[in-house]
Amino acid sequence: MAADGTRRTRAFEEVLLQVEHRIAGDGLKVGDRLPGERQLAEQLGVSRASVREAIRVLETLGVVSSQVGRGPDAGAVLTSRPDSALTDLLRLSLSLSSLSLREVIDTRLMIERWSAEHAAHTANANRAADVDGNAGTDGDTRHDALAAAAAAMEAMDAARDPEEFVRHDIAFHVAIAEASGNRLVAAVMRALRGAMRKYAIEAVERLGDTGVLREDHRRIHRAVLAGDAATAAEAVTVHLAHAYPELF
Amino acid sequence: MAADGTRRTRAFEEVLLQVEHRIAGDGLKVGDRLPGERQLAEQLGVSRASVREAIRVLETLGVVSSQVGRGPDAGAVLTSRPDSALTDLLRLSLSLSSLSLREVIDTRLMIERWSAEHAAHTANANRAADVDGNAGTDGDTRHDALAAAAAAMEAMDAARDPEEFVRHDIAFHVAIAEASGNRLVAAVMRALRGAMRKYAIEAVERLGDTGVLREDHRRIHRAVLAGDAATAAEAVTVHLAHAYPELF
DNA sequence: TACCGAGTATGGTCAGACCATACTCCAGGG
DNA sequence: CCCTGGAGTATGGTCTGACCATACTCGGTA
């Protein structure tokens, strides 16, 4: 029986290990190319099919991107797109109902309150910096994000159906997360909203009128712009309570 | 030329769509089996290799698990293990350094403060319920998690090297996150800590003495047990400042 | 110089084969 | 009757070899 426990590693798993070592060891960076499938297969002594399965995994994790054809950009190129992977992960986990809506909304609350607070703080810091005349790229990021949030608010006012409304609603909330300046938090937010898109549309349909939600958005946006972290966080909490009254 | 934009969908992507539709539409649940690779290939009109690539993706996303052999549990079974997928995702994203340490630690701060606060609140609610004699499964989860945290603290006292210390440190912090009762937050925490394991070991080595960190853990644990959310959150912040002084 | 076609490296896909595994089932012995 | 062992079989795991579509590279030609 060989109380081994560890199932014999499959060929593609070995490929994954080797490739990850190569990334960490050789200091490969985004934009660098991996060897071709045939070459990699020969180097590692496995079939091309196994190499392909490994590459598919890496593609799923958002670290490589494959292009056909020939030239400098052909083949498997290292990238860093964790967003879609995160989104897929959460969406599938939700549809397998391994998570409750309550847990997801609580997580949103955590992220959005934090984001709004930090975006507001950054607003203050930036106002101070502006006086000195040096804004910096962080300020640019935040400024762009808040502009995007404002645009999303207008788009929501003009939205003709729940699907369109939710699309801009997602844009708004992601923009607030981006305004915090933390890309990891923003990525999680984007994934979360993308994964629960369907639920959000249903929630809006149940609600009927979106006037309350739109007014909430304005309050959040105003508070962040004003650098009032406490008010921004409170506005976020109120907003989610309006969107999902059954949980509060 | 055909300003199409959308690269022709690959065969395995079509398989993914079909399988996801089947999961959502047929109401498949965790534990249910997918058709065999050969059967799926025939149904969808693609080769077995393409089906395998799709299954590999699903496996990466933690929604299926494959077993060889025969019987009720053989084949591709629906599961829900988002943890390892999340961990891999973050680890690779970090090693491609698309994220700064600052962003990661800030995210940890957000999650751990929130977890500690909620674990403390749950502690209060449970104390009230205990008086009535009905604890419930939520209380069990929390109780088990806090016991695990206590065990991890003792193990850290006995740890002989940074690697061992960090292993139990991760267990402690994950346990606190689990004590919040939110599995999504706990999963993100687990992934985050797993992904930055190497960095944590280096940080401990730089620090030398772990006495301060161990004392921090005791303060966090005490505060959560006592149901003192504010103190618990503050203790978490102090703890991370001790672990990563260069960021504060 | 500008254009156009052959050459070629790359991923995408398929068909078919064989192996290892682990359950199922049944015959035979206790 | 129960138990045990072996044959049967469905499943994933792996490999080989082939062909296609794509998109760049390079050389020849107008």
Side-chain angles (χ1 to χ4, degrees):
Chain A
M1 190 55 47
D4 192 341
T6 66
R7 166 172 81 221
R8 183 172 149 285
T9 67
R10 295 173 281 186
F12 81 89
E13 292 172 320
E14 180 61 26
V15 177
L16 280 177
L17 277 180
Q18 294 301 326
V19 171
E20 190 174 349
H21 279 162
R22 203 173 285 205
I23 291 175
D26 299 3
L28 295 183
K29 293 176 191 168
V30 170
D32 291 346
R33 285 180 52 184
L34 252 42
E37 295 179 355
R38 294 169 176 85
Q39 192 179 340
L40 211 45
E42 193 185 3
Q43 286 178 15
L44 303 179
V46 299
S47 74
R48 199 180 147 210
S50 295
V51 169
R52 280 181 65 80
E53 292 187 15
I55 288 183
R56 204 86 311 138
V57 169
L58 292 174
E59 209 177 296
T60 302
L61 292 173
V63 298
V64 310
S65 157
S66 293
Q67 287 86 25
V68 297
R70 192 178 158 163
D73 272 12
V77 178
L78 287 179
T79 63
S80 188
R81 312 200 152 284
D83 289 17
S84 73
L86 263 181
T87 304
D88 293 341
L89 185 61
L90 288 178
R91 190 184 62 249
L92 287 167
S93 292
L94 283 183
S95 72
L96 283 172
S97 59
S98 90
L99 293 172
S100 69
L101 185 59
R102 158 114 248 162
E103 286 170 303
V104 176
I105 298 298
D106 274 350
T107 306
R108 258 193 76 177
L109 207 42
M110 169 181 79
I111 295 178
E112 300 212 43
R113 283 183 60 102
W114 185 93
S115 297
E117 284 170 359
H118 278 246
H121 277 137
T122 317
N124 277 333
N126 257 90
R127 211 186 326 283
D130 277 349
V131 175
D132 299 347
N134 51 355
T137 57
D138 264 23
D140 285 352
T141 303
R142 184 191 139 274
H143 185 268
D144 291 351
L146 288 182
M153 287 194 297
E154 287 192 23
M156 275 185 272
D157 289 339
R160 306 190 150 278
D161 55 64
E163 191 278 333
E164 188 182 352
F165 180 84
V166 166
R167 188 165 68 243
H168 298 300
D169 179 63
I170 291 177
F172 174 83
H173 288 280
V174 168
I176 295 292
E178 278 168 349
S180 76
N182 189 311
R183 287 167 297 171
L184 177 52
V185 170
V188 175
M189 186 65 207
R190 204 172 297 121
L192 211 46
R193 288 308 308 262
M196 56 182 294
R197 186 172 155 280
K198 210 180 293 182
Y199 297 89
I201 294 176
E202 287 171 9
V204 168
E205 282 170 346
R206 260 200 310 279
L207 217 56
D209 179 39
T210 60
V212 179
L213 302 182
R214 298 206 307 275
E215 182 51 34
D216 287 345
H217 290 152
R218 291 200 187 82
R219 284 186 55 211
I220 296 171
H221 192 251
R222 258 198 310 273
V224 169
L225 270 182
D228 186 345
T231 302
E234 180 54 25
V236 166
T237 303
V238 169
H239 177 51
L240 281 182
H242 285 153
Y244 299 93
E246 67 271 26
L247 291 182
F248 288 81
Chain B
M1 196 69 41
D4 192 341
T6 66
R7 165 170 80 223
R8 183 173 150 286
T9 66
R10 297 173 281 186
F12 81 90
E13 292 172 321
E14 180 59 28
V15 177
L16 281 176
L17 276 181
Q18 294 301 325
V19 171
E20 190 173 348
H21 278 163
R22 203 172 287 203
I23 291 176
D26 299 3
L28 294 183
K29 295 178 191 169
V30 170
D32 291 346
R33 285 179 52 183
L34 251 42
E37 295 179 356
R38 293 170 177 84
Q39 192 179 340
L40 212 44
E42 192 185 3
Q43 285 177 14
L44 303 179
V46 299
S47 73
R48 199 180 148 210
S50 295
V51 169
R52 282 181 62 79
E53 291 187 15
I55 289 182
R56 205 86 312 138
V57 169
L58 292 174
E59 210 176 295
T60 303
L61 293 174
V63 297
V64 310
S65 158
S66 293
Q67 286 87 28
V68 296
R70 191 176 156 163
D73 273 10
V77 178
L78 287 179
T79 63
S80 189
R81 315 199 150 284
D83 290 17
S84 72
L86 264 181
T87 304
D88 293 342
L89 186 60
L90 286 178
R91 190 184 62 248
L92 286 166
S93 292
L94 284 184
S95 72
L96 282 173
S97 60
S98 90
L99 293 172
S100 70
L101 184 60
R102 160 113 249 162
E103 287 170 302
V104 175
I105 299 298
D106 274 350
T107 307
R108 255 193 78 177
L109 207 43
M110 169 182 78
I111 294 177
E112 300 213 41
R113 282 183 60 103
W114 186 92
S115 297
E117 285 170 357
H118 278 246
H121 277 138
T122 318
N124 277 332
N126 258 91
R127 210 185 329 283
D130 278 347
V131 176
D132 300 344
N134 51 355
T137 55
D138 264 21
D140 286 352
T141 303
R142 185 191 139 274
H143 184 270
D144 291 351
L146 289 182
M153 286 195 296
E154 288 191 23
M156 274 185 272
D157 290 339
R160 303 189 152 280
D161 57 63
E163 191 278 335
E164 189 181 352
F165 179 84
V166 166
R167 190 165 66 244
H168 298 301
D169 179 62
I170 292 177
F172 173 83
H173 288 280
V174 169
I176 295 292
E178 278 170 346
S180 76
N182 189 310
R183 288 167 297 173
L184 176 53
V185 170
V188 175
M189 186 66 206
R190 203 173 296 120
L192 209 47
R193 288 309 308 262
M196 55 179 296
R197 189 173 153 279
K198 210 181 290 181
Y199 297 89
I201 293 177
E202 286 171 10
V204 168
E205 282 168 345
R206 260 201 309 279
L207 217 57
D209 179 40
T210 60
V212 179
L213 302 182
R214 298 206 306 277
E215 183 51 34
D216 286 344
H217 290 151
R218 290 199 189 83
R219 284 185 55 213
I220 296 171
H221 193 251
R222 258 198 311 271
V224 169
L225 270 182
D228 186 345
T231 302
E234 180 55 23
V236 166
T237 302
V238 170
H239 177 50
L240 280 181
H242 286 153
Y244 298 93
E246 69 271 26
L247 290 183
F248 287 82

